[in-house]
């Protein structure tokens, strides 16, 4: 594992440029103040040990060249799957063809898609991703199931995607608090560029009060 550390996260935050397009300047200042307060008290890079730590499936969500930083955020996928199965987390089941235009996933060359009803659900989370030099953003990112999504796309097959609709994920789903904060820092920065002022203000109120 090579997840982001506290020092890198604080440097990233310091170097993230002001958002100028399509947003009220006051909103960016509110966002900045929220994260200054949160990061001030963040010191520990320790791994959050779970009871099943040695057998948990950990997914490295990688965000390359984000303002010249390569970020890895480590997520306990098995914990998300268990809470999806128990309906302890809000999600929507959406067909791949419907969400594909706003979906980021790692592309593979596989053309063979084998439907396996015993396999785990394919999980996507709200985590905007900027692909290459394109100015457009994909709203959702695949956490688990990149090979299956690639095979389905390449072979023109349909399959369900479990999209987690909760905008914030608890720290228990991340290997440590730094990964949790990195996820929400990047998510919130890009979120402000996707929505109008009214929506952003409500989002920031929820972010500020959210107990990670």
């Amino acid at each position: 594992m090579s997840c982001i550390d506290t020092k890198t996260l604080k440097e990233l935050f310091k170097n993230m440029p002001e958002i100028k397009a399509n947003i009220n300047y006051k909103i960016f200042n509110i966002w900045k103040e929220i994260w200054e307060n949160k990061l001030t008290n963040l010191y520990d890079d320790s791994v959050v040990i779970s009871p099943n730590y040695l057998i948990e499936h950990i997914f490295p969500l990688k965000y390359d060249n984000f303002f010249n930083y390569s970020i890895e955020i480590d997520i306990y996928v098995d914990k998300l799957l268990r809470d999806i199965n128990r309906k302890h987390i809000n999600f929507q089941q959406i067909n791949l063809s419907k969400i594909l235009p706003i979906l980021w996933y790692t592309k593979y060359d596989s053309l063979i898609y084998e439907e396996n009803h015993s396999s785990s659900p394919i999980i996507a989370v709200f985590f905007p991703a900027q692909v290459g030099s394109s100015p457009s953003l994909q709203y959702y990112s695949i956490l688990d199931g990149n090979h299956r999504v690639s095979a389905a796309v390449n072979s023109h097959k349909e399959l369900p995607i479990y999209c987690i609709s909760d905008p914030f994920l608890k720290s228990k789903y991340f290997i440590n608090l730094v990964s949790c904060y990195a996820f929400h820092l990047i998510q919130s920065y890009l979120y402000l560029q996707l929505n109008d002022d009214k929506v952003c203000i409500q989002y920031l109120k929820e972010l500020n009060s959210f107990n990670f």
Side-chain angles (χ1 to χ4, degrees), residues 149-163:
V149 170
S150 293
V153 171
N154 295 338
S155 57
H156 306 288
K157 300 288 186 180
E158 190 66 276
L159 78 168
I161 307 295
Y162 285 66
C163 296

Side-chain angles (χ1 to χ4, degrees), residues 74-205:
D74 289 333
I75 300 173
Y76 286 125
V77 172
D78 289 346
K79 287 187 178 182
L80 280 171
L81 285 171
R82 284 196 294 271
D83 279 357
I84 285 174
N85 291 332
R86 296 166 182 166
K87 297 184 178 179
H88 290 172
I89 192 168
N90 295 320
F91 68 91
Q92 291 180 300
Q93 185 174 316
I94 304 175
N95 285 337
L96 174 61
S97 60
K98 185 175 181 180
I99 196 175
L100 189 59
I102 58 170
L103 183 68
W104 179 89
Y105 65 97
T106 302
K107 296 178 175 62
Y108 295 96
D109 294 331
S110 176
L111 291 172
I112 301 174
Y113 173 71
E114 296 181 0
E115 188 174 2
N116 185 349
H117 294 290
S118 64
S119 62
S120 60
I122 297 173
I123 303 175
V125 291
F126 177 73
F127 188 77
Q130 192 159 4
V131 181
S133 59
S134 172
S136 62
L137 292 170
Q138 266 68 17
Y139 293 4
Y140 282 88
S141 295
I142 289 290
L143 282 190
D144 188 44
N146 285 289
H147 284 89
R148 284 175 285 166
V149 170
S150 293
V153 171
N154 295 338
S155 57
H156 306 288
K157 300 288 186 180
E158 190 66 276
L159 78 168
I161 307 295
Y162 285 66
C163 296
I164 295 174
S165 50
D166 286 343
F168 310 114
L169 296 181
K170 290 279 191 180
S171 57
K172 69 177 181 177
Y173 298 122
F174 297 87
I175 198 168
N176 58 15
L177 195 58
V178 185
S179 272
C180 177
Y181 275 28
F183 178 92
H184 292 95
L185 177 70
I186 295 172
Q187 179 201 66
S188 60
Y189 183 82
L190 296 173
Y191 185 93
L192 298 185
Q193 300 174 60
L194 297 173
N195 295 280
D196 61 30
D197 288 2
K198 184 177 180 180
V199 172
C200 288
I201 289 171
Q202 180 59 38
Y203 171 83
L204 290 175
K205 286 180 180 178

Side-chain angles (χ1 to χ4, degrees), residues 21-33:
N22 301 319
I23 188 167
N24 188 315
Y25 181 72
K26 289 183 179 179
I27 293 177
F28 178 76
N29 281 343
I30 294 170
W31 173 87
K32 190 173 181 180
E33 183 178 354

